[in-house]
Amino acid sequence: MLIGELSRRTGVQTHQLRYYESQGLLEPDRGHNGYRDYAEEAIVTVAQIRKLLGAGLSTEEIGFLLPCATGTLPELKPCPELLDTLRARLNGLDQHIDDLVRTREVLSDYITITEQSVAS
């Protein structure tokens, strides 16, 4: 199928599909006319990519995980890089959350101090 049809069937814009291809996540064949020709399986792959992006994974991380993915959910079957990649991403998110909480506390303190000086 051509990129426009894949876009219609998945609800993903053509520029995003081209980006996924540039990241090595989609590999269409090329017709004799040079047009991208996607197999039916590309619909499942795009669904997997979208779900994994929704989980906060980068396209680089998804590239490692796609060989472990089956189905549109996707279900991730055990493979060596899977748990290491997921754990590293989770640890990064936890660190980011901790940083945001600290930043929020400092900002809240500034607000409190400023409100108190205005009230005085």
Side-chain angles (χ1 to χ4, degrees), residues 86-118:
L86 293 176
R87 284 188 181 119
R89 185 63 174 148
L90 184 59
N91 289 337
L93 287 172
D94 287 341
Q95 182 62 51
H96 188 64
I97 289 168
D98 291 345
D99 293 343
L100 287 171
V101 168
R102 279 191 295 280
T103 301
R104 186 182 190 286
E105 290 169 355
V106 170
L107 182 57
S108 179
D109 289 345
Y110 277 121
I111 291 170
T112 300
I113 291 168
T114 303
E115 288 174 340
Q116 288 172 353
S117 71
V118 169

Side-chain angles (χ1 to χ4, degrees), residues 20 46-58 62 74 89 93:
Y20 299 160
V46 170
Q48 292 170 341
I49 292 167
R50 300 298 291 173
K51 296 281 184 164
L52 293 169
L53 285 170
L57 297 171
S58 69
I62 292 170
R89 185 63 174 148
L93 287 172

Side-chain angles (χ1 to χ4, degrees), residues 17-32:
L17 296 172
R18 287 187 202 98
Y19 175 73
Y20 299 160
E21 180 184 348
S22 75
Q23 298 298 299
L25 304 177
L26 281 176
E27 296 180 21
D29 291 328
R30 291 284 182 162
H32 65 283

Side-chain angles (χ1 to χ4, degrees), residues 34-46:
Y35 291 172
R36 292 170 176 85
D37 184 18
Y38 294 92
E40 282 293 314
E41 296 82 35
I43 295 169
V44 172
T45 302
V46 170

Side-chain angles (χ1 to χ4, degrees), residues 25 59-68 79 81-82 85:
L25 304 177
T59 54
E60 183 178 356
E61 292 164 329
I62 292 170
F64 289 118
L65 298 181
L66 271 181
C68 307
C79 57
E81 59 277 353
L82 174 67
T85 300

